[in-house]
Amino acid sequence: MLPEIFIGSFLGKSQLMAPRNKVSGASRPARRRFWWQLRQRWSMLGVFEINQEHEFYQLTCMMKEGLHASVRAADPPGRENRAADQDRLSEEHFKAEETQTHEGFVMQTFAAPVFAHLRRSLDITEDEYVDSLCSDGFYLQFVSNSKSQADFFVTHDKRFFLKTQSRREVRFLLSNLQAYMDHLEKYPHSLLVRFLGVHRILIPDQIKKYFIVMQSVFYPDERINIRYDVKGCEVGRWTDPDTGGKQILKVLKDNNFRGQNITLGPETSWFSGQVDEDAAFLRALNVLDYSLLLAEQPLHRDELDRKHSLANLVLRTTKSLDLDDRPAESDPSSTPLLEENPVEVEPDPAESGSAIPLQEIRETSTDAELQDFHEHHRRLLPNFKNAVHVIDGPDRRYFVGIIDIFTVYGLKKRLENLWKNLRYPGGSFSTVRPAKYSHRFCQWIRDHTQ
């Protein structure tokens, strides 16, 4: 049931308090129409369309045109049929820069073959990517309480996120792109946000902007009404959840989450271990101030009963932690995370519904390793492509992802650390050495996961 405060924002008080009479057959279409409209307005909470009257309309139209041309150039149709050895990345791919001139603007694309390779490994086809980024549907502007000076755009289907970045941040990402790709190859279900493209758009005498394309952590976002941004510290980590009646999406913080837990049951060990691995990777890059984006939604009754929706879930084994079995006959980086023809598990006779599809297991593992693989490193995920940011617990579905990985502990942050130590003696604030930040971040996850 939707909260009364939410429904009240769309209905008058008299409607909200009116007695519920039995609905006649003639009024059912009107009722369905009402709930459909309510659902549409709910889906637009915190975002609004960048239509012809919006200040960013011209910019987003140019972005769409430039993205369409750059994606088609980097990943032409038919490339998926090439042999794996023809699709391996080289040093030149990571340094690649392409410039395409369009009417009224120029689009630069960086490391296009690398990001095309990553999209294919995630089983995102070029058609899906282009259809989402470059369709006739308006981009949505994301409105939140973020202090970032960046501009945020979301595709009309909310599948991909576009964010403007500084030149320094883009250069940092590109200089560490090889390490990032290596980490994702070793841990395909890493919680790090997936960067899918890096571009720069130049409109003469007007705009020069770098922007990145990312996979949205909160996709699909139906039934998500509370989001958190967690850093593992306390100073400045509270957000007043009251929106003041505005259509703004407030992202809550660490202190708002106090007294709550991420309940994952048997997935707890895997989750904490993967956070440790991701934080260790960021620590090695001398990075701090990253966040865990977190949202949850209750599982539907049929999902809890394991009768209907479970037949549509993918039991995906996770190549994680100490399992580093890489068969010589195949290229693991080219294997989609969701198989097109998965192996099926024998159905439980006590349950109704069809068998659960299972991702193909690498044949080089021993029986003991496979048993450990099944018991400790698996995830139940919704049946949609690349659900790397979704984890199912016993009664809730969690959306998780580590974002904002561009802050390096340089001179500016060292000076900020000294100033905050003077202002908040003994306090837990975000600007600390990467080793301390990493340890505290992982400890928060362990303390709040069960």
Side-chain angles (χ1 to χ4, degrees), residues 13-28:
K13 187 174 182 180
S14 60
Q15 289 177 278
L16 187 62
M17 302 302 294
R20 297 179 179 178
N21 297 324
K22 187 174 181 179
V23 180
S24 66
S27 63
R28 286 195 185 105

Side-chain angles (χ1 to χ4, degrees), residues 409-427:
Y409 192 61
L411 178 60
K412 182 179 178 180
K413 287 297 175 181
R414 293 174 189 272
L415 293 175
E416 187 177 333
N417 173 261
L418 291 174
W419 177 77
K420 286 189 175 180
N421 271 306
L422 294 174
R423 185 174 181 182
Y424 308 107

Side-chain angles (χ1 to χ4, degrees), residues 222-327:
E222 292 186 359
R223 296 189 292 125
I224 295 178
N225 55 12
I226 299 178
R227 296 162 169 83
Y228 294 91
D229 179 293
V230 172
K231 293 181 182 290
C233 56
E234 297 179 351
V235 174
R237 302 302 295 167
W238 163 265
T239 294
D240 184 352
D242 183 15
T243 64
K246 297 180 180 179
Q247 289 293 95
I248 185 173
L249 186 65
K250 285 213 172 183
V251 180
L252 306 183
K253 299 179 181 178
D254 304 56
N255 292 331
N256 298 93
F257 198 76
R258 187 170 293 167
Q260 302 180 65
N261 286 295
I262 307 169
T263 305
L264 297 178
E267 301 304 317
T268 298
S269 174
W270 172 86
F271 180 68
S272 298
Q274 189 59 62
V275 170
D276 288 345
E277 295 293 345
D278 291 334
F281 168 72
L282 296 175
R283 182 175 67 246
L285 296 182
N286 201 33
V287 165
L288 71 157
D289 221 21
Y290 41 90
S291 303
L292 179 77
L293 275 187
L294 171 67
E296 64 179 47
Q297 59 182 213
L299 294 177
H300 279 305
R301 183 174 179 178
D302 58 350
E303 293 168 325
L304 291 171
D305 291 344
R306 298 172 61 87
K307 291 181 179 179
H308 304 296
S309 291
L310 189 59
N312 295 323
L313 293 178
V314 175
L315 183 61
R316 188 171 70 206
T317 57
T318 305
K319 182 185 177 186
S320 181
L321 303 178
D322 297 326
L323 291 173
D324 192 24
D325 47 296
R326 304 183 184 183

Side-chain angles (χ1 to χ4, degrees), residues 14 23 103 144 358 450:
S14 60
V23 180
E103 184 177 353
S144 76
L358 176 66
Q450 61 181 24

